Amino acid sequence: QVQLVESGGGLAQAGGSLRLSCVVSGGTFSTYAMGWFRQAPGKEREFVAVIAVISTSTAYADPVKGRFTISRDNAKSTVYLEMNSLKPEDTAVYYCAVRSGVSWTRSKDYMYWGQGTQVTVSS
């Protein structure tokens, strides 16, 4: 079984930064495309970023482009999300997931999910 554990969430002020981590166990991390999603209260889960097996291939949702950076460390079986210039609208529970389908952005194309880590941004 594949397990994912997110960490690094917390409280930040607008304009600040946080770095999220997701450690993957029970599989072969280097063969997985990895994604980050988020879910705010009263909203559905939405795509944030994805990184392919080849780390140079990445994609971002428009609201975070230029502010967030996804990366991976295969030696540590870990995917990261560096969040800079945070805004209150970034407040959400952030989830990492293992992609199993062809889509970059559809949650149904991700097979395994972590429990999430809370990110709260105040002004």
Side-chain angles (χ1 to χ4, degrees), residues 14-72:
S17 299
L18 287 172
R19 179 182 172 93
L20 307 183
S21 300
C22 175
V23 179
V24 181
S25 62
T28 306
F29 178 80
S30 61
T31 69
Y32 300 150
M34 298 294 303
W36 285 97
F37 288 73
R38 66 186 182 185
Q39 188 168 19
K43 300 177 64 177
E44 292 191 349
R45 188 169 299 181
E46 65 178 359
F47 167 77
V48 175
V50 62
I51 185 167
V53 173
I54 301 174
S55 296
T56 53
S57 182
T58 60
Y60 299 89
D62 287 341
V64 308
K65 189 171 295 185
R67 299 188 297 120
F68 291 10
T69 302
I70 188 171
S71 62
R72 65 190 298 156

Side-chain angles (χ1 to χ4, degrees), residues 9-10 18 30 33 62 72 74-75 77 89 98 104-105 113-114 118:
L18 287 172
S30 61
D62 287 341
R72 65 190 298 156
N74 287 345
S77 296
E89 51 262 45
V98 176
W104 289 104
T105 62
W113 296 81
Q118 177 71 50

